[in-house]
Amino acid sequence: MNESLINPFTLSHPTAVQTSFFAGALFARFDATGRFIAAARLNGPAEIWDLETRAPIRWLDGHVKSITSIDWSRNSRYLLTSSKDWNVLVWDLASTCDPPQRHNSIRFDAPVVSSSFHPNNSQIILVLLATGEAYVCDLRKQHKSRVELDEDESNGQGPCGSSPITTARFDPTGKNIFVGTAAGYLLVFNTRTKTMIARHKISGAGAMKGLEFTKSGRRLVTNSSDRTLRQFILPTYSPLPTDAELQHHTYPPFLDVELEPTHRFNDPINKTAWHAMSYSPDGDWLAGGSADPSGHKIYIWDISNDGQLASALDGGREPLVYLHWHPAKSSLASTTNQGSILIWHHPNPERWGAFAGGFEEVDENVQYEEREDEFDIEDEAVLHERKMKAEEEEVDIDTVVTGAEAAVLGGKGAQSDNKGGATTPVGNGISHFMDTDKLGSVGLGDDLIDVETAWAEEDPDGDTPGGWKMKVIMEDEAADYY
């Protein structure tokens, strides 16, 4: 049954395994469409699987050691793989040759822990090395560079005892880079200027192990060595430095405060660590993959209900390694230490009443009570006159209804939880958001936002919706294109 037809406004959480297949995968990630899934294998290759046919369609063989991370470009044309063999490779899935040739290759002097594409341009890549160094690699001709994110040099305040970087991610807008350190700090760098604009101490967290954002970027969840997931509502940061300030090495004061989590998630019984976490597309659910060596366990919390534990999923005896939420629906992909990929879904019972709005489904026979005027015949002239009067009513298209008035008209009123919309000023003219994913773009002026967006979109990468086709190769079948 079509889930969007049954309830197009509600996204629940997965509850059962829909299918599983053996891909020899360390981890797997959905693409932006949710139809394909990329699987990274232990011995170096990567595979693209078609979830409709449950079959591999492309084979990417370029690494000589195990892959450490995998990422899709925004419209799924390019795939990014990093490995312990010190290389980061970019694959163009629009290539017609089989096997595909490397589109770009970046080599470092140490094993690569992770790499990711910029959300708006796949030619800008964030790379984290096993030595605790993070680099922004720009492959565009006009901006070709490899810049290290340095805490000591970027803030213009001299050495401050920086510690190794253990995790690094672009935020969903691509304007900022968030990195976690072994000392329990969360550092924020501007992507365009590579300068540090904020430093946050996470009290009691220990070494940072992972970061995950909601789709809008308003909320962040961290995974740390104390076996606790922490969710934060991110603040807005100081205005970006101007070209004159960069030239004279003077920078606006950056935010240096301790962040307080809105929620803490852990396993109160087994006290296990976490391998991975992932938000649902609407940000209302958070899934955490347990590092329990005795089973495949996924915990799901309802963020819209004050972070209450909604479900604990059991995927069998093969321990979990990684999980990723589908970009559009109630589905999860989790991998086991034996290389299997489990696809979780939310099964819905058939509801035939969804196809006929005038009918109501009942669980048992009930006595039907006929209304007094249910079968009264009304004069057609009266019906026609009523219809004409309704059409003659004037519609006000000039009055602009504000957000507050719309809330009153909608009967929703003001809210004070994660769905709210207020801000509380903090020092240096910086304000913390008291809402999560329901607000629009605020904080920076339109001119500054345009500068960041224009910089990232210079020299486009060709990854446009509908502007390319993937060559699909099936065993014992002719090639096809999607």
Side-chain angles (χ1 to χ4, degrees):
M1 184 68 68
N2 191 328
E3 179 176 321
S4 62
L5 178 62
I6 294 175
N7 196 341
F9 304 107
T10 302
L11 182 66
S12 185
H13 63 84
T15 57
V17 176
Q18 181 183 24
T19 186
S20 64
F21 49 92
F22 181 77
L26 287 170
F27 45 87
R29 288 184 65 89
F30 291 106
D31 78 320
T33 66
R35 174 178 176 179
F36 304 107
I37 193 168
R41 300 178 65 91
L42 178 64
N43 56 351
E47 284 182 309
I48 309 296
W49 287 71
D50 187 345
L51 293 179
E52 292 186 1
T53 61
R54 302 292 192 271
I57 57 175
R58 298 306 296 268
W59 180 274
L60 312 174
D61 192 359
H63 294 289
V64 295
K65 292 187 177 181
S66 61
I67 295 177
T68 55
S69 72
I70 199 164
D71 192 27
W72 292 87
S73 62
R74 64 191 184 282
N75 292 309
S76 308
R77 174 172 177 173
Y78 300 103
L79 194 72
L80 181 68
T81 58
S82 63
S83 171
K84 294 180 179 179
D85 63 5
W86 304 6
N87 289 316
V88 174
L89 303 181
V90 181
W91 305 89
D92 185 0
L93 300 182
S95 172
T96 58
C97 62
D98 182 48
Q101 302 298 313
R102 303 178 184 183
H103 183 67
N104 268 310
S105 178
I106 311 172
R107 183 166 178 81
F108 292 88
D109 297 328
V112 182
V113 173
S114 67
S115 61
S116 57
F117 284 128
H118 188 283
N120 297 323
N121 196 324
S122 62
Q123 298 179 91
I124 305 172
I125 300 172
L126 175 63
V127 179
L128 174 63
L129 303 183
T131 53
E133 302 164 343
Y135 293 87
V136 178
C137 302
D138 199 331
L139 306 180
R140 297 174 295 177
K141 293 182 179 179
Q142 301 296 327
H143 303 275
K144 198 171 185 65
S145 62
R146 181 187 297 188
V147 180
E148 181 182 357
L149 299 178
D150 193 294
E151 178 183 0
D152 293 341
E153 297 180 0
S154 65
N155 58 31
Q157 297 186 356
C160 58
S162 60
S163 57
I165 296 175
T166 52
T167 182
R169 288 284 302 273
F170 285 110
D171 73 352
T173 67
K175 297 179 177 64
N176 296 321
I177 299 171
F178 287 72
V179 303
T181 71
Y185 279 90
L186 184 65
L187 310 180
V188 186
F189 293 82
N190 176 255
T191 305
R192 177 173 58 89
T193 62
K194 318 301 185 295
T195 58
M196 190 171 73
I197 59 177
R199 182 198 294 119
H200 303 297
K201 173 64 177 176
I202 310 300
S203 179
M208 308 294 289
K209 297 171 58 179
L211 306 173
E212 186 71 19
F213 292 90
T214 56
K215 196 171 184 179
S216 71
R218 296 303 183 196
R219 278 183 283 141
L220 166 72
V221 64
T222 64
N223 182 16
S224 52
S225 59
D226 68 343
R227 304 184 177 187
T228 300
L229 304 181
R230 291 173 173 83
Q231 178 183 266
F232 301 93
I233 297 177
L234 295 176
T236 50
Y237 300 103
S238 301
L240 303 178
T242 63
D243 293 338
E245 289 173 329
L246 291 174
Q247 184 177 359
H248 294 88
H249 301 284
T250 59
Y251 308 97
F254 63 93
L255 184 61
D256 190 358
V257 296
E258 182 176 332
L259 286 183
E260 287 294 331
T262 59
H263 297 89
R264 288 182 174 88
F265 308 101
N266 52 36
D267 185 348
I269 300 177
N270 299 319
K271 303 295 183 181
T272 57
W274 305 97
H275 276 322
M277 60 277 188
S278 185
Y279 276 108
S280 64
D282 58 5
D284 286 343
W285 306 91
L286 173 65
S290 173
D292 190 343
S294 62
H296 192 98
K297 297 180 180 179
I298 301 174
Y299 294 85
I300 298 180
W301 295 275
D302 187 354
I303 304 300
S304 61
N305 188 23
D306 199 29
Q308 296 294 320
L309 179 64
S311 181
L313 310 181
D314 189 351
R317 295 186 177 181
E318 296 182 3
L320 179 143
V321 177
Y322 190 78
L323 65 83
H324 186 229
W325 204 299
H326 192 281
K329 62 182 182 180
S330 300
S331 180
L332 277 170
S334 62
T335 55
T336 72
N337 66 345
Q338 301 300 314
S340 298
I341 300 177
L342 307 183
I343 305 298
W344 301 77
H345 75 138
H346 181 74
N348 289 290
E350 293 185 349
R351 294 172 52 193
W352 298 104
F355 294 95
F359 292 88
E360 180 181 357
E361 294 186 7
V362 295
D363 297 328
E364 57 184 10
N365 293 333
V366 296
Q367 184 71 27
Y368 180 73
E369 296 182 1
E370 179 183 329
R371 300 193 310 271
E372 183 178 353
D373 61 345
E374 184 171 1
F375 297 102
D376 291 350
I377 300 176
E378 193 169 1
D379 193 316
E380 293 185 2
V382 177
L383 290 175
H384 179 71
E385 183 179 358
R386 184 186 305 164
K387 181 179 178 181
M388 295 302 295
K389 287 183 177 180
E391 293 180 353
E392 290 175 358
E393 292 182 0
E394 294 185 1
V395 180
D396 185 5
I397 62 174
D398 298 325
T399 303
V400 178
V401 181
T402 63
E405 293 171 345
V408 173
L409 293 175
K412 297 181 179 179
Q415 299 180 3
S416 58
D417 57 5
N418 287 345
K419 307 295 183 181
T423 59
T424 303
V426 195
N428 296 328
I430 301 165
S431 59
H432 284 271
F433 286 106
M434 302 307 293
D435 118 356
T436 55
D437 300 311
K438 310 305 180 184
L439 290 176
S441 298
V442 294
L444 298 178
D446 292 339
D447 55 340
L448 295 178
I449 292 178
D450 290 341
V451 168
E452 297 299 312
T453 304
W455 174 83
E457 294 180 352
E458 290 180 11
D459 192 7
D461 56 4
D463 185 21
T464 57
W468 64 280
K469 293 183 179 180
M470 183 192 301
K471 183 178 181 181
V472 175
I473 299 176
M474 308 284 288
E475 294 184 0
D476 301 328
E477 294 184 13
D480 198 358
Y481 291 85
Y482 286 88

